[in-house]
Amino acid sequence: MASIWGDIFRHPDDETVLDDTLACVRWMYRQMEYGCQKYPGFFTHHSLSFMQQDTADGKRRMHHAWQHILDQLCVVLKRDPRVRPDAFTDQFSAEQFAEVLFSLVLSAVIRQDFDPSAALEITRRTLY
């Protein structure tokens, strides 16, 4: 499973997506669509297998895979020069916003709807 996640979220060919939050969100949606096409049923199987495993190792592996994605998204959020200086506070951190964005991406997978327009608009209104 780790190799599939690695393929889906491999380092982008165009590294500029890692400097711009909107470009990164678009890329994440494209990658999840790619993952659904290349690995049909992977996301459903992946989440069900971890829910059924009551082992510390299974939970650790799931947490590690998702945490890596969240960490990279936080790097992008903090690197994006267009983000308003007051966009993040102690009550609303870059980490929390990354979790919101990742939740939207995961929701897109469940719905099989890979149009990022709502996530992009939320990002624009929140950050810029």
Side-chain angles (χ1 to χ4, degrees), residues 34-92:
Y34 159 79
C36 284
Q37 291 171 354
K38 184 163 183 182
Y39 306 104
F42 168 72
F43 295 107
T44 303
H45 174 71
H46 178 68
S47 60
L48 288 176
S49 69
F50 281 118
M51 286 176 23
Q52 291 172 350
Q53 288 180 351
D54 195 23
T55 65
D57 184 54
K59 290 177 183 177
R60 181 190 56 75
R61 286 185 289 141
M62 181 179 74
H63 181 266
H64 178 74
W66 286 11
Q67 191 61 51
H68 178 72
I69 295 166
L70 289 168
D71 290 346
Q72 291 303 316
L73 187 51
C74 284
V75 167
V76 173
L77 288 166
K78 292 174 182 178
R79 186 185 296 173
D80 187 340
R82 296 185 307 151
V83 173
R84 288 188 336 269
D86 65 342
F88 299 117
T89 66
D90 291 339
Q91 294 78 32
F92 184 66

